[in-house]
Amino acid sequence: MTKEREWQSWSLKKKIGQLFVFGFHGYEPTEQMKKLIAANGIGGTIYFSRNVKDAKQVHKLSGELQSLAKHAGSPPLFVAIDQEGGMVARLVKGVTLMPGNMALGAAGLAEGARETARICGEELRQLGITMNYAPCIDVNNNPENPVINVRSYSDRSDVVAELGAAAVAGYQAARVAATVKHFPGHGDTAVDSHHALPILLHGRERLDAIELKPFRAAIEAGTDCIMTAHVCLPALDPSGEPSTLSEEVITGLLRKELGYDGVVVTDCLEMDAIDKSYGPEQGAIKAIRAGADMVLISHTFEKQWAALEAVAAAVEKGDLTEARINEALDRIMMLKKKLELDEPLLPWTQVEEAIGTEANKAAARRWSEASVTLVKNEGSLLPISRSESTLVLWPEIVPVSVADEMLSGDGSLGSFLTELGANVVERQMNGVNPLADLECFSQIVVVTYDASKHPLERDIACEAVRLAPDRTIAVSVRNPLDLLLYPDVKAYLAVYECRPLALAAAAKALLGDLEPTGKLPLEISAAYPFGWSAAANG
């Protein structure tokens, strides 16, 4: 990238602005965001749930933000989002919500990862979203990982590599930049980098065999972007710097050794792993110096503004070279050109007809149903009878991201069973005496979300199994490792998210209307290894 580009003659301030992606609060551009665009010409923005009502509002917001950039004389913005599918999705209403990674891992076909990513990408692009911070290609090989878990396809690096590369192809076929994350790997951490700095002590041979393999595949697949992890790996950088700030990791390993020449974006610098030790100002300087092209600061205007000024001051003082700024800017502008960001949004009336279509919903449903995994069925407890009385015990914890779907009354497992003609009573686990009068029910379905983190889920499941061992079936609606906490249950069904699509599929499987074809995408135990299915092996 030595050839002179016209943007290399821009002012330093304008160049630096393009290296930042900033978030904001609200459904419309705030005065602070308007100032960041007008005064600094920032490179992009990111949507969180706080910015999203529904598809129509997002379409309008994207148009407003791009109008602000155009009025300021700046290049079009990257508009980014974390739309991984499943449990990590900022945009739900009015679009086709796809299954998440572990569900696709259970379905086990690259075609599923590619098709769901393509459809998701096509709908995002219609709404003016041009960069998806997905897929997550961390290898889920630590049961204690608090932040990756079902965001990973599998605990096998080969599976993650294959499905991750397929997803990259799907997103980019839709002209949305795929952003694989979190380099060089966040799957084997027991610490959430939102709250502290994880340290991985693996040697280089192990990292090559597991963590780095999916990233090599994504690079070969031509991923537009790679997001760094706030993770310390002494085998790669003995200094103790987080990978996001490490020249050895970004420039040495990713650029020189792995040969990646696309855009590198940081994870958010307001996460505690960076914010508490460095702050976004020094974090931004260090990240850019290390080789990152774009810096993500998701929340606080004062920190965003300070980071912009800090990077400019660092260049002026010689602590950061303008050549490094030009190099990053080159990659950013070439990607913007490739994505044709100056293409105007279609009118909402046309967009509305192109998103959330019946064909797209059918594809999402097909892959969600393909993920349903029958892990145990001792005593032939499944399928359950429609006519017999059934108690469904619902988890105490309802994730905020899906609360509106769950609490509306039409998004729980019990509601889907009832819709299919089952005789159901549904109770919240944290209600009064949820296990009262168990003798009145012929069938008991215990639903758990993440029982290792929520003791009441574990205790209720174990007690139901103890009191009614020959009538109790467990359904995991997130973490399949829940089986380890109530191992004596005789029947166990795993779906990998508690979105309505997965719950509808689980209801069909419980009633025998759907034959579970999914296979475990990770090892639960020696008895239930990777690839296990009671339907196939029982």
Side-chain angles (χ1 to χ4, degrees), residues 62-287:
S62 297
E64 291 171 343
L65 287 164
Q66 296 295 8
S67 293
L68 289 168
K70 185 175 182 179
H71 182 73
S74 296
L77 297 161
F78 286 125
V79 178
I81 197 168
D82 292 295
Q83 192 78 359
E84 297 176 18
M87 299 313 301
V88 180
R90 314 306 186 197
L91 181 56
V92 176
K93 295 180 180 178
V95 298
T96 309
L97 180 57
M98 290 297 167
N101 282 5
M102 190 166 284
L104 293 169
L109 294 172
E111 179 190 350
R114 185 181 299 106
E115 183 178 27
T116 54
R118 177 186 57 78
I119 293 171
C120 175
E122 289 171 350
E123 295 195 357
L124 291 177
R125 180 78 194 213
Q126 291 279 358
L127 300 176
I129 299 169
T130 51
M131 180 175 284
N132 196 9
Y133 289 156
C136 175
I137 58 171
D138 299 305
V139 181
N140 185 45
N141 48 16
N142 187 336
E144 302 302 318
N145 195 312
V147 68
I148 301 302
N149 197 267
V150 295
R151 298 170 65 193
S152 171
Y153 293 107
S154 174
D155 65 355
R156 305 300 166 105
S157 57
D158 289 343
V159 173
V160 176
E162 181 185 13
L163 271 60
V168 166
Y171 287 124
Q172 293 183 184
R175 295 188 305 141
V176 167
T179 306
V180 297
K181 59 188 184 184
H182 306 81
F183 184 83
H186 206 318
D188 199 13
T189 63
V191 172
D192 184 346
S193 54
H194 289 84
H195 306 299
L197 177 62
I199 299 174
L200 284 180
L201 299 177
H202 299 309
R204 180 58 196 269
E205 184 176 347
R206 147 64 195 255
L207 294 171
D208 279 328
I210 297 179
E211 278 78 10
L212 295 177
K213 186 175 289 187
F215 290 99
R216 292 181 187 273
I219 291 168
E220 187 174 343
T223 187
D224 283 331
C225 301
I226 292 178
M227 177 178 282
T228 62
H230 303 330
V231 175
C232 175
L233 292 99
L236 300 179
D237 185 347
S239 74
E241 292 276 35
S243 295
T244 292
L245 312 182
S246 170
E247 187 171 356
E248 284 78 2
V249 172
I250 299 177
T251 297
L253 174 59
L254 182 57
R255 296 290 192 203
K256 295 180 179 178
E257 186 173 338
L258 301 187
Y260 182 64
D261 197 33
V263 171
V264 174
V265 60
T266 72
D267 209 341
C268 179
L269 298 193
E270 288 190 78
M271 293 164 63
D272 285 350
I274 301 297
D275 198 5
K276 283 189 173 180
S277 298
Y278 303 91
E281 300 100 309
Q282 284 303 307
I285 295 167
K286 283 177 166 287

Side-chain angles (χ1 to χ4, degrees), residues 46 54 143 148 173 290 309 351 364 374 387 397 429 443 460 476 487:
I46 179 173
D54 54 29
I148 301 302
E309 293 191 329
V351 170
L374 181 63
S387 59
I397 300 297
M429 288 182 176
Q443 301 162 140
I460 292 289
S476 164

Side-chain angles (χ1 to χ4, degrees), residues 310-390:
V311 169
V315 176
E316 290 167 358
K317 290 190 298 182
D319 294 338
L320 190 59
T321 67
E322 191 162 356
R324 174 77 269 276
I325 301 296
N326 286 340
E327 180 186 48
L329 180 63
D330 226 14
R331 293 192 181 98
I332 292 163
M333 295 305 298
M334 292 303 290
L335 180 55
K336 288 189 172 187
K337 183 178 180 180
K338 172 189 172 184
L339 294 173
E340 299 177 302
L341 297 191
D342 54 356
E343 180 180 276
L345 282 174
L346 293 174
W348 171 250
T349 51
Q350 292 179 246
V351 170
E352 188 176 22
E353 295 176 356
I355 62 175
T357 65
E358 289 305 313
N360 288 356
K361 289 178 181 177
R365 182 169 57 252
R366 181 172 68 254
W367 290 112
S368 183
E369 291 180 351
S371 74
V372 179
T373 308
L374 181 63
V375 182
K376 295 179 73 173
N377 190 21
E378 297 169 5
S380 299
L381 295 185
L382 292 175
I384 63 174
S385 168
R386 280 177 164 82
S387 59
E388 297 289 339
S389 57
T390 302

